[in-house]
Amino acid sequence: MAAEREAGRLLCTSSSRRCCPPPPLLLLLPLLLLLGRPASGAAATKSGSPPQSAGASVRTFTPFYFLVEPVDTLSVRGSSVILNCSAYSEPSPNIEWKKDGTFLNLESDDRRQLLPDGSLFISNVVHSKHNKPDEGFYQCVATVDNLGTIVSRTAKLTVAGLPRFTSQPEPSSVYVGNSAILNCEVNADLVPFVRWEQNRQPLLLDDRIVKLPSGTLVISNATEGDGGLYRCIVESGGPPKFSDEAELKVLQDPEEIVDLVFLMRPSSMMKVTGQSAVLPCVVSGLPAPVVRWMKNEEVLDTESSGRLVLLAGGCLEISDVTEDDAGTYFCIADNGNKTVEAQAELTVQVPPGFLKQPANIYAHESMDIVFECEVTGKPTPTVKWVKNGDVVIPSDYFKIVKEHNLQVLGLVKSDEGFYQCIAENDVGNAQAGAQLIILEHDVAIPTLPPTSLTSATTDHLAPATTGPLPSAPRDVVASLVSTRFIKLTWRTPASDPHGDNLTYSVFYTKEGVARERVENTSQPGEMQVTIQNLMPATVYIFKVMAQNKHGSGESSAPLRVETQPEVQLPGPAPNIRAYATSPTSITVTWETPLSGNGEIQNYKLYYMEKGTDKEQDIDVSSHSYTINGLKKYTEYSFRVVAYNKHGPGVSTQDVAVRTLSDVPSAAPQNLSLEVRNSKSIVIHWQPPSSTTQNGQITGYKIRYRKASRKSDVTETLVTGTQLSQLIEGLDRGTEYNFRVAALTVNGTGPATDWLSAETFESDLDETRVPEVPSSLHVRPLVTSIVVSWTPPENQNIVVRGYAIGYGIGSPHAQTIKVDYKQRYYTIENLDPSSHYVITLKAFNNVGEGIPLYESAVTRPHTVPDPTPMMPPVGVQASILSHDTIRITWADNSLPKHQKITDSRYYTVRWKTNIPANTKYKNANATTLSYLVTGLKPNTLYEFSVMVTKGRRSSTWSMTAHGATFELVPTSPPKDVTVVSKEGKPRTIIVNWQPPSEANGKITGYIIYYSTDVNAEIHDWVIEPVVGNRLTHQIQELTLDTPYYFKIQARNSKGMGPMSEAVQFRTPKADSSDKMPNDQALGSAGKGSRLPDLGSDYKPPMSGSNSPHGSPTSPLDSNMLLVIIVSVGVITIVVVVVIAVFCTRRTTSHQKKKRAACKSVNGSHKYKGNCKDVKPPDLWIHHERLELKPIDKSPDPNPVMTDTPIPRNSQDITPVDNSMDSNIHQRRNSYRGHESEDSMSTLAGRRGMRPKMMMPFDSQPPQQSVRNTPSTDTMPASSSQTCCTDHQDPEGATSSSYLASSQEEDSGQSLPTAHVRPSHPLKSFAVPAIPPPGPPLYDPALPSTPLLSQQALNHHIHSVKTASIGTLGRSRPPMPVVVPSAPEVQETTRMLEDSESSYEPDELTKEMAHLEGLMKDLNAITTA
């Protein structure tokens, strides 16, 4: 089993071992039990054995669990200890023990032995300062052969140390009836062994004399008999240890007041649920105080509660502590003269417990499963998983998900067994387990899919019926490869070409790893799936299998795919902790990330106040930081991000902590006094604001005094959240001052200002409501009414205040209450000219008295509303730049000269409709124009204006619209990806998305690529792409070589920034890579067979000389003779004319050399110098003027034809013209066009950059760029025109992208060609006479000059020229695609001058046209 376990899966504890085999008799016992059971029982118990056949019954889960588990035990030296353990299973399990993680060899241990029930017995416990062999953590391990292993919880055996006193009793005295304490503190584990003696006699404990858990002796209500000598004794198995003796003297009552003093204050403590807690509180003083306890805000009833007991001296004992007992406890002692209090915090911890235990699981191999485990406890428990007694180490296939759950990916047979979830915290641990049974694939899982099976594997559950199975899926490819996911696509199996009812399973595994995983399609008929959660730069093997109703079919051939590498960023910083160090500071600590992926440069600590969304950050270079200046008693969250040279890594989880509490920083609010009668006053208040409480308010301190005697202050304490207090026992007719302060556990905050109230001279009657007020007067204003009144005539009834009701037509709409001393009130915010009814009632604590009614009408509003002004007119928007528009307007309310002489101003508002919910922006102006700046480029805005003068404003004017100018793109293309093309390892496909800030219409893209990412940008190879394309192919790359790609976008204003470099490594050599190249080399120079163009294709009628002519039909001999004669005559004439022309222009050529060099280098920096530039030889064929439009071909599938690249229009192979009808609408801003399947070739692929010259739109349309000599050719592209090879005495090969226009239907075809390697001495070549056969071109195909003159309002097309330097090796054919043509409306006028053709007998007439053509050629060669 261990041999099948791959690296990174489940690691066993190195110290694990099994005990010696049991005696033969014990081995025979399970066998005898099995033989005596019925067949069904045997099947149930032998769940570890596989089924005998496909139809065998499903194995059942075997009960295997602990009946008793060991518990924490305290022992003393020399005694005996039993650690209980008992497990249940059939057959009976074998029990072993571990101490501190290591198995005990009990066979050779004379002090430790295994009892029959599995318990561990330890005799004569050994313990000394330097030898503690028995103390430690013990664990019981139960094993059943062929089934599995389970482990118990861990129990701690503690051995009490040698007695050592930390404090001893001291001589003291106590008054009769008072309390006394005698200290005796020893080691915490020895406290149970402490006892006391009085006068060397054992002291009997009772309700009056108690021993605290610390060992301290408390004597309450002392009597004369309590006097004597006291000492404490520790008896822990060895000889007893005695403390010093101390004398306690009992004194007689001095009959005088003795201040209250705490002999022992309660101290904060931590207890575990189920334990008992004793909070000490011993107070001495005369008269003897009475002690009472409060928890948080409520008084504790120790008399009726069964768990709360008041011990001697006032100590509080809480038995069987629960989590609800946690809180702040107050000990309050009062003897009638003085009150003192102390407080302590009780923290309750809870051992781990299970909210949800793991469940047994059936599964098949390759499935993914999850064992669920939810735990609770305080502190929060940590969880670890154990399989068959060995700790599960998280890996790629064993993962901890959702904090505590265990996920096992890609099951294998060795994963069977028992899995246990072990939860641990500071106060305990617990375990719960479940069994995993892996069934054979032909055995169906007996129940519905349990929740622990993942969605990727649930379809394995249904049994299959008999019938034909599908064959293997076809053409499985990785259509998208990323760093952490791969998208697979395939075609239906050959056995079921429709495949509507087929489902598919994708089995995949890491290369070199035996564990296999599976992912299923989501619905029948779906033929793609995305595999998630993969590792970067990792090779995976994929197989696809189809399933029908009869079962799973054949598997596809393995597909090997490698994920892309990922930028190596740091992982999260582990063990982040935060703790408060003061009321205003918190310290955060963390550790170095486990996966730093390089040197960690620094950390960024983020923190945020809870309830806000404003996160702040601090750069930290160490592993801890203290943040100061925080708010008191406020919760904050913290997280840490590590940075390396690649940037920020993964953030940690948020940790929350609250700053410490402090005394309140503000006084209570809204203090008010209410005189109840002649001897009492009620005081009311509100808590301080939440931001100034600085902690939990535990009470309030009230101080009051007579106004005449400011030195005599009385203090009263109010606990909890009580917000009022009745102060009684006051003097009649006396003025008192009051103030209140808030309390927290840290102390008392600032008090309010003194507030005074006077008690009544005599007790007034408050058994009935007050009488009606004696008078009510109202005085109306415009928006208010002043109300005044006099009190009721009967002054013997208490009046607490007055209630004023008012409303339009009814007095019950609004009610306002005022103080009893107030005699007038102003009602605000009323409506003008409205009739209000007003009531006045006096009230006290009994209720409201009889109302007094009055009515009033508010005064009218005398200020007239201003009339609106006329809105501005003639609003115009003048565009000034890409972000500025000037708005002008006229104001008809101004004089004719439009001069502003008053204080009016104008408000301009503007917005754009993209997005639709954009809000208006406004600006004010004092003139009749305004310059709007900060606009977005290439965006349409609408503007309107309004005028304001004083309180008068106009409506908005009519809107004016204006669109800002374009601006160069300010962001690079995004989402740049590079993938290899299926079947062509030397070809890659670059994909991208437009820039997010294009700032105009994108007219083109430039792809830069190189094998050296650090090379100067002018040394990168350039590939231009039309603006409406987002993908491009580059072929003939070197195998197994890393390439780097950047993309730059362009609009009419220029080039934008480059994208970040994207790396891609071409695949290694493959046999499939050689076939296309070998075929292309074999066809170069020989001519390739044209694609079938259909039976409706009409062959050309003119003498088009094509090297690809097919001898399918004989050519008329007379027509052939005419063609030969025509070619010969025209060739001789043109040679003579060019010779004369070149002789005449030699001097001009030398003068223009430098200008030509500048033209070459104008748009980009390239290698070479001006000496490398030579004018190309030119040869004019009369056939160029005979091309007419070809007929549309009915072939719906245009294909690429591998042919040598032609040098004239006759060598272009026509293909089907049924491609996208919108192609003729595309216009490239570069000199040249590309088609839908455009390709490029990087010559040599050996780090040398071909010299590529690419003029841009800003250059004149007739400008020509000459090339440096080379022996390799770049792809040449034109709409229907190229050139044939000619002899060049200088040995230079030149090719260029020539933009031409042609008239075409909406479905114009895109011819393609391959470039043939040229001889170093060839530049142009005379075309050869083709073999007899029909012409392949329609005579109606038109031809236009190389650079046609265009109307001024037409877009200027550009010419892209390129040359590739000698790379020292022969090149295979390079695929080149002819781009789309210009729009029809642009080509119509050009075609009008070029549609005429001529016959050989019209040569004289056409010579005049040649002269004009030579002028154009002259401009090309000399520009």
Side-chain angles (χ1 to χ4, degrees):
M1 182 184 300
E4 297 176 358
R5 194 182 315 277
E6 58 273 15
R9 285 187 48 233
L10 190 155
L11 301 180
C12 295
T13 306
S14 60
S15 61
S16 300
R17 67 174 184 83
R18 293 289 178 261
C19 291
C20 300
L25 182 60
L26 295 179
L27 282 175
L28 293 176
L29 181 60
L31 181 61
L32 295 174
L33 290 174
L34 290 176
L35 292 175
R37 295 177 62 89
S40 60
T45 56
K46 293 183 64 178
S47 61
S49 59
Q52 301 301 318
S53 64
S57 61
V58 177
R59 291 176 292 161
T60 59
F61 296 110
T62 302
F64 189 14
Y65 53 87
F66 285 102
L67 297 172
V68 179
E69 294 186 74
V71 296
D72 295 346
T73 304
L74 174 64
S75 179
V76 294
R77 184 177 51 179
S79 63
S80 298
V81 175
I82 293 180
L83 297 176
N84 294 314
C85 178
S86 176
Y88 171 80
S89 177
E90 293 184 7
S92 299
N94 179 38
I95 301 296
E96 300 171 278
W97 282 86
K98 282 183 178 181
K99 177 183 180 292
D100 298 329
T102 303
F103 279 99
L104 293 174
N105 186 0
L106 302 179
E107 298 292 332
S108 60
D109 197 327
D110 56 349
R111 290 193 307 107
R112 302 187 186 98
Q113 56 180 311
L114 189 67
L115 300 182
D117 64 345
S119 299
L120 178 65
F121 175 74
I122 304 175
S123 62
N124 191 19
V125 172
V126 176
H127 189 83
S128 64
K129 183 177 181 180
H130 302 290
N131 184 26
K132 303 177 181 179
D134 295 329
E135 192 172 61
F137 293 91
Y138 289 80
Q139 190 175 37
C140 178
V141 182
T143 303
V144 175
D145 292 338
N146 299 323
L147 183 61
T149 301
I150 58 175
V151 297
S152 72
R153 70 178 300 274
T154 302
K156 182 180 181 181
L157 174 60
T158 304
V159 181
L162 298 175
R164 191 173 293 109
F165 292 102
T166 57
S167 69
Q168 301 191 45
E170 297 178 353
S172 60
S173 60
V174 60
Y175 291 109
V176 173
N178 237 321
S179 299
I181 63 171
L182 294 169
N183 292 321
C184 180
E185 295 183 8
V186 295
N187 315 6
D189 49 9
L190 290 176
V191 170
F193 308 103
V194 173
R195 66 181 181 86
W196 282 87
E197 288 184 351
Q198 180 187 13
N199 297 325
R200 303 206 174 184
Q201 295 297 321
L203 180 65
L204 299 178
L205 304 179
D206 53 23
D207 294 342
R208 195 175 59 84
I209 303 175
V210 296
K211 184 189 72 171
L212 299 182
S214 63
T216 300
L217 184 68
V218 178
I219 301 174
S220 64
N221 193 17
T223 64
E224 293 182 358
D226 294 329
L229 297 176
Y230 288 83
R231 67 176 180 178
C232 63
I233 303 100
V234 180
E235 297 174 326
S236 58
K241 187 176 181 66
F242 297 92
S243 71
D244 296 338
E245 282 189 328
E247 182 180 3
L248 176 65
K249 294 181 179 181
V250 180
L251 307 178
Q252 295 299 320
D253 188 350
E255 298 183 357
E256 64 181 21
I257 296 176
V258 178
D259 284 344
L260 298 181
V261 176
F262 276 104
L263 299 179
M264 179 176 285
R265 290 175 175 268
S267 58
S268 296
M269 64 179 59
M270 185 178 298
K271 290 294 181 180
V272 180
T273 53
Q275 296 180 346
S276 294
V278 176
L279 295 171
C281 182
V282 182
V283 183
S284 171
L286 292 176
V290 175
V291 176
R292 56 191 176 93
W293 284 86
M294 296 185 64
K295 178 196 170 188
N296 296 336
E297 304 165 2
E298 51 185 77
V299 177
L300 297 179
D301 185 3
T302 57
E303 295 181 359
S304 59
S305 174
R307 294 192 309 114
L308 303 179
V309 177
L310 198 61
L311 302 179
C315 301
L316 178 66
E317 180 183 27
I318 308 173
S319 58
D320 194 15
V321 170
T322 66
E323 196 171 0
D324 294 334
D325 292 327
T328 303
Y329 287 80
F330 297 88
C331 171
I332 304 172
D334 186 3
N335 65 354
N337 294 323
K338 188 176 181 179
T339 301
V340 294
E341 70 173 58
Q343 64 183 27
E345 192 81 17
L346 174 61
T347 303
V348 178
Q349 293 185 324
V350 183
F354 290 95
L355 299 176
K356 187 172 187 179
Q357 297 189 7
N360 295 333
I361 295 177
Y362 282 114
H364 289 136
E365 287 190 89
S366 300
M367 279 188 176
D368 300 343
I369 64 167
V370 174
F371 283 107
E372 296 182 342
C373 180
E374 294 184 21
V375 299
T376 182
K378 188 176 181 180
T380 302
T382 59
V383 169
K384 67 178 180 180
W385 284 85
V386 171
K387 180 208 169 186
N388 288 335
D390 297 324
V391 176
V392 175
I393 306 300
S395 65
D396 291 343
Y397 299 97
F398 287 83
K399 298 184 177 181
I400 304 300
V401 297
K402 295 184 179 178
E403 296 186 1
H404 300 147
N405 297 341
L406 176 65
Q407 183 181 40
V408 186
L409 305 178
L411 290 174
V412 296
K413 190 68 177 177
S414 60
D415 291 329
E416 264 195 349
F418 284 88
Y419 291 78
Q420 289 176 276
C421 173
I422 299 180
E424 298 176 314
N425 64 7
D426 295 341
V427 294
N429 62 88
Q431 61 84 24
Q435 185 180 4
L436 169 64
I437 294 180
I438 298 180
L439 303 174
E440 299 297 328
H441 279 288
D442 53 358
V443 177
I445 292 179
T447 58
L448 292 176
T451 56
S452 55
L453 294 182
T454 64
S455 60
T457 59
T458 52
D459 68 334
H460 287 262
L461 308 177
T465 59
T466 57
L469 300 175
S471 59
R474 298 174 292 175
D475 301 338
V476 179
V477 296
S479 60
L480 185 58
V481 179
S482 182
T483 56
R484 294 187 178 273
F485 71 89
I486 292 177
K487 182 179 181 180
L488 294 180
T489 58
W490 58 87
R491 292 198 300 130
T492 55
S495 62
D496 192 350
H498 296 291
D500 295 335
N501 296 321
L502 294 181
T503 59
Y504 298 89
S505 296
V506 178
F507 295 87
Y508 64 98
T509 181
K510 281 186 185 179
E511 190 175 49
V513 176
R515 185 180 288 272
E516 190 175 56
R517 298 188 60 195
V518 63
E519 186 78 26
N520 298 308
T521 53
S522 57
Q523 56 188 7
E526 186 177 14
M527 288 179 291
Q528 65 177 21
V529 70
T530 299
I531 310 297
Q532 304 277 359
N533 301 321
L534 303 180
M535 299 299 295
T538 305
V539 176
Y540 289 87
I541 308 299
F542 296 89
K543 294 184 294 182
V544 183
M545 183 184 297
Q547 294 108 11
N548 59 15
K549 62 182 180 180
H550 304 300
S552 299
E554 299 178 17
S555 171
S556 65
L559 175 65
R560 184 178 181 274
V561 185
E562 182 177 4
T563 54
Q564 294 185 1
E566 187 176 56
V567 176
Q568 300 300 308
L569 296 175
N575 298 329
I576 178 173
R577 295 182 177 89
Y579 56 90
T581 55
S582 75
T584 59
S585 62
I586 291 176
T587 298
V588 186
T589 62
W590 60 91
E591 297 177 5
T592 304
L594 301 177
S595 57
N597 295 321
E599 181 183 357
I600 301 297
Q601 295 179 345
N602 71 306
Y603 299 90
K604 185 159 285 190
L605 172 61
Y606 295 87
Y607 66 97
M608 180 174 60
E609 181 183 345
K610 186 176 181 181
T612 65
D613 56 358
K614 183 180 179 182
E615 191 172 47
Q616 304 180 62
D617 60 85
I618 300 172
D619 289 327
V620 183
S621 59
S622 61
H623 291 95
S624 65
Y625 190 81
T626 300
I627 304 174
N628 298 306
L630 303 178
K631 296 181 180 179
K632 298 178 180 180
Y633 199 67
T634 303
E635 187 172 357
Y636 289 85
S637 63
F638 300 86
R639 64 186 181 93
V640 175
V641 176
Y643 280 71
N644 63 8
K645 63 181 180 180
H646 300 293
V650 182
S651 173
T652 63
Q653 295 291 329
D654 287 355
V655 294
V657 67
R658 186 185 295 273
T659 52
L660 298 180
S661 61
D662 199 0
V663 296
S665 55
Q669 306 177 90
N670 303 330
L671 179 64
S672 62
L673 303 175
E674 176 188 343
V675 180
R676 281 290 179 93
N677 49 46
S678 61
K679 292 186 178 182
S680 62
I681 294 177
V682 178
I683 181 171
H684 300 271
W685 65 89
Q686 292 295 323
S689 62
S690 57
T691 58
T692 61
Q693 292 182 11
N694 302 334
Q696 185 176 0
I697 299 298
T698 59
Y700 295 91
K701 186 176 291 185
I702 303 173
R703 292 186 175 185
Y704 60 95
R705 67 190 180 188
K706 292 182 180 180
S708 59
R709 296 177 59 186
K710 297 186 177 180
S711 60
D712 187 10
V713 178
T714 303
E715 189 175 282
T716 299
L717 186 65
V718 177
T719 59
T721 57
Q722 184 176 332
L723 298 177
S724 64
Q725 178 68 24
L726 175 63
I727 307 298
E728 298 181 300
L730 304 179
D731 296 337
R732 297 174 181 267
T734 304
E735 184 179 3
Y736 286 87
N737 296 331
F738 295 85
R739 68 190 312 178
V740 181
L743 301 175
T744 63
V745 293
N746 305 88
T748 306
T752 62
D753 294 332
W754 291 102
L755 187 63
S756 61
E758 184 179 351
T759 57
F760 298 142
E761 284 288 348
S762 59
D763 291 334
L764 301 179
D765 183 12
E766 202 174 3
T767 59
R768 49 181 176 158
V769 298
E771 295 184 358
V772 63
S774 55
S775 66
L776 174 62
H777 302 280
V778 295
R779 184 163 62 91
L781 301 175
V782 177
T783 59
S784 62
I785 297 176
V786 179
V787 182
S788 60
W789 64 90
T790 56
E793 294 181 357
N794 187 354
Q795 298 290 321
N796 295 323
I797 301 177
V798 176
V799 176
R800 299 292 180 187
Y802 296 92
I804 304 171
Y806 65 95
I808 298 178
S810 171
H812 306 298
Q814 299 285 341
T815 301
I816 298 171
K817 291 188 176 182
V818 297
D819 188 70
Y820 73 97
K821 295 180 180 179
Q822 199 160 334
R823 295 293 181 265
Y824 66 91
Y825 183 79
T826 301
I827 305 174
E828 305 283 355
N829 301 321
L830 303 180
D831 296 332
S833 303
S834 300
H835 183 272
Y836 284 89
V837 178
I838 301 168
T839 63
L840 178 69
K841 295 179 286 186
F843 66 88
N844 56 21
N845 291 335
V846 178
E848 294 180 344
I850 301 173
L852 191 61
Y853 289 86
E854 190 62 77
S855 63
V857 178
T858 52
R859 298 180 183 179
H861 227 305
T862 57
V863 181
D865 293 331
T867 57
M869 299 182 67
M870 293 288 291
V873 296
V875 179
Q876 294 183 350
S878 303
I879 294 87
L880 302 183
S881 69
H882 66 276
D883 65 346
T884 305
I885 295 180
R886 180 180 294 278
I887 308 301
T888 59
W889 60 88
D891 190 348
N892 283 344
S893 62
L894 292 175
K896 292 183 179 181
H897 55 73
Q898 293 285 291
K899 185 176 182 180
I900 302 174
T901 58
D902 50 21
S903 60
R904 71 181 61 198
Y905 65 92
Y906 302 88
T907 302
V908 182
R909 71 174 182 180
W910 64 93
K911 64 170 286 190
T912 178
N913 290 328
I914 301 175
N917 59 350
T918 305
K919 296 182 179 180
Y920 278 101
K921 293 186 177 180
N922 298 278
N924 294 332
T926 57
T927 60
L928 296 178
S929 66
Y930 183 76
L931 198 65
V932 181
T933 59
L935 303 178
K936 296 180 181 179
N938 193 42
T939 305
L940 179 65
Y941 286 89
E942 65 176 38
F943 303 84
S944 55
V945 187
M946 68 177 291
V947 59
T948 303
K949 180 180 178 183
R951 298 177 58 190
R952 302 171 58 200
S953 297
S954 70
T955 58
W956 290 103
S957 68
M958 298 184 65
T959 58
H961 294 81
T964 51
F965 293 148
E966 291 187 358
L967 180 67
V968 294
T970 53
S971 66
K974 58 185 179 181
D975 299 338
V976 181
T977 58
V978 183
V979 296
S980 62
K981 188 170 183 180
E982 179 188 359
K984 295 185 178 180
R986 295 178 183 268
T987 302
I988 61 94
I989 301 175
V990 185
N991 304 294
W992 64 91
Q993 291 298 319
S996 56
E997 298 177 1
N999 298 336
K1001 180 182 179 182
I1002 297 298
T1003 57
Y1005 298 90
I1006 299 178
I1007 302 176
Y1008 298 79
Y1009 63 104
S1010 170
T1011 57
D1012 184 5
V1013 71
N1014 298 318
E1016 294 293 331
I1017 195 61
H1018 59 70
D1019 289 330
W1020 291 50
V1021 181
I1022 294 175
E1023 293 289 341
V1025 184
V1026 293
N1028 56 0
R1029 293 182 56 78
L1030 297 175
T1031 184
H1032 184 68
Q1033 294 186 16
I1034 299 177
Q1035 73 167 164
E1036 291 304 315
L1037 301 180
T1038 304
L1039 294 176
D1040 194 24
T1041 303
Y1043 285 85
Y1044 300 89
F1045 298 83
K1046 298 181 180 180
I1047 302 184
Q1048 192 176 25
R1050 183 181 194 278
N1051 59 16
S1052 63
K1053 291 298 182 181
M1055 310 300 299
M1058 293 185 186
S1059 66
E1060 293 293 329
V1062 175
Q1063 182 186 8
F1064 181 81
R1065 177 178 286 275
T1066 53
K1068 296 182 180 179
D1070 197 318
S1071 59
S1072 62
D1073 177 45
K1074 301 177 182 178
M1075 296 180 60
N1077 296 336
D1078 296 342
Q1079 293 172 359
L1081 285 169
S1083 63
K1086 299 179 183 179
S1088 302
R1089 180 175 180 85
L1090 288 173
D1092 185 10
L1093 299 178
S1095 59
D1096 296 336
Y1097 178 78
K1098 296 180 181 181
M1101 301 296 293
S1102 65
S1104 299
N1105 181 17
S1106 172
H1108 311 290
S1110 176
T1112 56
S1113 61
L1115 179 67
D1116 184 81
S1117 60
N1118 294 333
M1119 184 61 69
L1120 180 61
L1121 181 61
V1122 172
I1123 294 174
I1124 296 173
V1125 172
S1126 301
V1127 171
V1129 172
I1130 294 302
T1131 303
I1132 295 172
V1133 172
V1134 173
V1135 168
V1136 172
V1137 172
I1138 291 178
V1140 175
F1141 168 76
C1142 293
T1143 303
R1144 181 180 305 172
R1145 301 299 294 179
T1146 299
T1147 304
S1148 174
H1149 288 171
Q1150 297 297 329
K1151 293 180 179 180
K1152 298 295 184 175
K1153 264 190 174 184
R1154 188 173 302 277
C1157 181
K1158 292 180 179 178
S1159 175
V1160 170
N1161 298 320
S1163 62
H1164 211 277
K1165 294 182 179 181
Y1166 296 88
K1167 292 182 180 179
N1169 54 37
C1170 197
K1171 294 180 181 180
D1172 298 330
V1173 181
K1174 298 178 184 296
D1177 295 335
L1178 301 174
W1179 189 267
I1180 308 302
H1181 298 285
H1182 73 279
E1183 290 85 357
R1184 290 178 45 76
L1185 302 176
E1186 296 176 347
L1187 298 177
K1188 297 282 181 75
I1190 64 174
D1191 291 342
K1192 293 187 294 183
S1193 171
D1195 185 4
N1197 296 315
V1199 297
M1200 278 191 177
T1201 306
D1202 295 338
T1203 65
I1205 185 167
R1207 294 301 299 241
N1208 63 4
S1209 61
Q1210 297 162 331
D1211 291 340
I1212 297 296
T1213 302
V1215 295
D1216 179 60
N1217 57 0
S1218 61
M1219 293 183 68
D1220 185 2
S1221 62
N1222 292 326
I1223 287 180
H1224 75 280
Q1225 297 179 356
R1226 302 174 182 170
R1227 177 172 299 118
N1228 189 0
S1229 63
Y1230 306 102
R1231 307 287 171 97
H1233 295 255
E1234 294 187 358
S1235 72
E1236 191 69 22
D1237 293 319
S1238 59
M1239 298 183 184
S1240 301
T1241 307
L1242 172 57
R1245 312 298 180 193
R1246 296 184 181 178
M1248 298 179 61
R1249 180 186 60 81
K1251 302 183 178 83
M1252 177 172 293
M1253 286 142 281
M1254 185 179 62
F1256 297 115
D1257 287 347
S1258 59
Q1259 298 173 343
Q1262 300 255 343
Q1263 185 176 1
S1264 173
V1265 181
R1266 291 175 292 174
N1267 307 318
T1268 57
S1270 67
T1271 60
D1272 242 348
T1273 57
M1274 275 295 287
S1277 174
S1278 66
S1279 57
Q1280 290 291 339
T1281 305
C1282 294
C1283 305
T1284 47
D1285 294 341
H1286 290 265
Q1287 295 292 336
D1288 184 2
E1290 297 181 9
T1293 300
S1294 176
S1295 62
S1296 61
Y1297 279 66
L1298 307 176
S1300 63
S1301 304
Q1302 66 182 15
E1303 183 178 7
E1304 58 187 358
D1305 294 330
S1306 62
Q1308 180 61 40
S1309 65
L1310 302 178
T1312 62
H1314 275 285
V1315 178
R1316 175 181 58 189
S1318 60
H1319 192 276
L1321 300 179
K1322 287 186 179 182
S1323 176
F1324 293 86
V1326 180
I1329 299 175
L1336 294 180
Y1337 269 81
D1338 194 308
L1341 181 64
S1343 176
T1344 60
L1346 295 180
L1347 291 171
S1348 302
Q1349 293 286 351
Q1350 301 182 13
L1352 292 178
N1353 59 345
H1354 288 178
H1355 294 283
I1356 298 175
H1357 290 268
S1358 56
V1359 177
K1360 169 185 173 183
T1361 69
S1363 71
I1364 300 178
T1366 303
L1367 298 178
R1369 69 178 179 89
S1370 177
R1371 287 177 46 81
M1374 295 180 295
V1376 176
V1377 178
V1378 180
S1380 59
E1383 296 180 359
V1384 175
Q1385 62 181 4
E1386 293 184 3
T1387 63
T1388 303
R1389 184 174 300 179
M1390 293 187 288
L1391 293 175
E1392 290 176 356
D1393 299 331
S1394 60
E1395 287 183 348
S1396 62
S1397 64
Y1398 58 90
E1399 300 299 330
D1401 58 348
E1402 296 177 84
L1403 294 177
T1404 304
K1405 178 179 177 182
E1406 296 301 325
M1407 288 304 296
H1409 294 284
L1410 282 176
E1411 183 177 359
L1413 180 60
M1414 293 310 299
K1415 292 180 180 180
D1416 293 339
L1417 294 173
N1418 181 32
I1420 295 173
T1421 58
T1422 61

